[in-house]
Amino acid sequence: MLSFDRVSFGRGRALIRDLSFDLRAGEILAVMGPNGCGKSTMLAVFAERSLLLGGTVSLGGRSIGVMSQREIFSLLALASQNGIPACPCTVEDYVLAGWYPRLGLMGVPGRLERDDCRRVMEQIGILQWSSRRADALSGGEFKLVQLARAMTCGRRLLLLDELDSSLDFANRIRIATLLRRFAAGGGAVLMITHSPEQARDTADRILLLSPELPPLEGSPEETLAPEILGRYFGVRIPGTPDPGVPSGTPGRL
């Protein structure tokens, strides 16, 4: 469904080099790493292909280099770290905008599109917010609305950038349950998170990124080991050796 093959990316200089992984239907991959290591930039390559400095990113077996933006965002949804919109649209209209990559900017949503949005909103538990102004939501509420927008129009690949931030304990559990259900239905999720607990409870695999270490992919049990986390975040976790900064090659545990 999604493949990175020896990919390097960054703004002017490579933040990450030789990143390779495959994300298949039915899987959830969590991406973790220190601030500034390139996690959000990795997702931005789909909208700004100039960030791609080497290697190949493929969707459904096709390089994104030969795909239009409309094709790309008809296949995947990206929920970024962008804040609450300044425009005073309703929550339902904001969610409905998830259909625009398929409809086009001049397209007019009809009954099918509105029914789909309401179905997704009901699934997430926010249908009662339909007429609320999106710019009046709290940060945590808006994260749920972003997920609803991402899950519209039947797209099967979700790219989520810190969707769990600002969420309370109950909504973190709700998000994890929704994402596991989405994957079990044949979808795939790549989620950036700063929470080891959320990664452990949600993901099948974890990808660790660092500006000073090669990318490392493995199971939650392997990658969340204190000595591994300490090394990739450059901190000493009590009870573990000094992390240091070892060299190596990209790999899997």
Side-chain angles (χ1 to χ4, degrees):
M1 189 170 282
L2 173 65
S3 175
F4 275 53
D5 182 22
R6 298 183 63 83
V7 171
S8 300
F9 54 83
R11 297 184 184 277
R13 63 179 182 87
L15 292 171
I16 296 292
R17 299 180 184 274
D18 295 326
L19 174 61
S20 296
F21 68 85
D22 294 303
L23 179 60
R24 295 169 286 273
E27 292 184 333
I28 300 176
L29 176 67
V31 180
M32 298 184 64
N35 294 127
C37 73
K39 301 183 299 299
S40 296
T41 306
M42 177 179 69
L43 302 189
V45 300
F46 294 97
E48 300 179 58
R49 278 169 284 186
S50 62
L51 298 175
L52 189 59
L53 304 179
T56 304
V57 178
S58 301
L59 278 173
R62 296 179 64 201
S63 168
I64 64 170
V66 299
M67 300 173 70
S68 68
Q69 289 285 284
R70 186 170 179 177
E71 285 180 299
I72 290 171
F73 287 98
S74 291
L75 296 174
L76 65 82
L78 171 60
S80 68
Q81 294 186 53
N82 292 340
I84 296 172
C87 60
C89 63
T90 66
V91 166
E92 183 173 332
D93 285 341
Y94 181 85
V95 173
L96 193 60
W99 269 92
Y100 288 143
R102 295 246 178 118
L103 294 173
L105 290 176
M106 303 303 293
V108 179
R111 180 174 178 177
L112 182 149
E113 292 80 17
R114 291 192 178 275
D115 285 349
D116 173 67
C117 290
R118 290 171 182 148
R119 176 190 59 78
V120 172
M121 292 171 68
E122 183 174 22
Q123 180 184 2
I124 294 175
I126 61 171
L127 184 59
Q128 68 276 19
W129 300 351
S130 295
S131 59
R132 289 181 63 183
R133 283 177 46 159
D135 61 348
L137 298 173
S138 72
E141 288 173 330
F142 184 64
K143 293 292 185 180
L144 296 176
V145 173
Q146 281 187 297
L147 179 61
R149 176 168 165 164
M151 293 178 68
T152 58
C153 71
R155 284 170 292 205
R156 306 309 295 161
L157 175 59
L158 304 182
L159 307 181
L160 310 176
D161 194 352
E162 296 187 38
L163 191 74
D164 56 328
S165 67
S166 304
L167 292 177
D168 61 30
F169 178 70
N171 279 324
R172 286 193 179 204
I173 294 175
R174 182 192 299 185
I175 290 289
T177 301
L178 286 166
L179 294 182
R180 286 196 297 267
R181 188 182 303 156
F182 177 82
V189 180
L190 188 156
M191 54 176 286
I192 293 173
T193 180
H194 282 295
S195 168
E197 294 81 10
Q198 193 77 0
R200 179 197 63 213
D201 295 342
T202 309
D204 301 296
R205 295 178 289 125
I206 295 175
L207 174 65
L208 295 178
L209 300 180
S210 166
E212 299 175 332
L213 292 168
L216 186 66
E217 180 186 351
S219 70
E221 293 77 18
E222 294 165 330
T223 51
L224 297 180
E227 60 273 18
I228 299 293
L229 276 184
R231 217 182 314 157
Y232 273 78
F233 282 86
V235 296
R236 185 178 183 277
I237 299 175
T240 64
D242 186 283
V245 183
S247 60
T249 57
R252 298 184 179 182
L253 292 171

